[in-house]
Amino acid sequence: MDDLLVLLFAAVALIGAVSAHLQRDRFGKLIAVGIVFGGIAPFIAARGYLDVLIAVSLIVPVTTIIILLICRRDANDA
């Protein structure tokens, strides 16, 4: 059963990476990078680095939101 979960999470990470590569829109790329993190997070937890997982779980969504807000700005907003 563990092998099936490893393959599933690896597939999620790869799908996110391929999606980030194929996306042309900046928002789509950032969402795809978030999907990559969703696939990688279980591997971090499986290695026992829970402190790193907690830190990354807090940093990734906050930075994604901030970058999305920055990308949303138009040249007329400045």
Side-chain angles (χ1 to χ4, degrees):
M1 187 64 175
D2 289 336
D3 293 336
L4 181 63
L5 288 175
V6 168
L7 289 175
L8 178 68
F9 291 131
V12 169
L14 288 174
I15 288 170
V18 170
S19 176
H21 177 71
L22 296 176
Q23 291 289 329
R24 300 226 183 255
D25 184 33
R26 293 181 291 192
F27 297 115
K29 283 186 183 285
L30 286 171
I31 292 169
V33 169
I35 293 171
V36 170
F37 170 71
I40 292 174
F43 293 116
I44 297 172
R47 298 291 288 173
Y49 299 126
L50 297 179
D51 55 341
V52 174
L53 180 63
I54 291 169
V56 173
S57 296
L58 294 173
I59 292 169
V60 167
V62 171
T63 55
T64 302
I65 291 169
I66 291 170
I67 292 172
L68 282 172
L69 289 173
I70 291 170
C71 289
R72 190 182 70 165
R73 288 187 184 173
D74 291 334
N76 298 332
D77 291 344

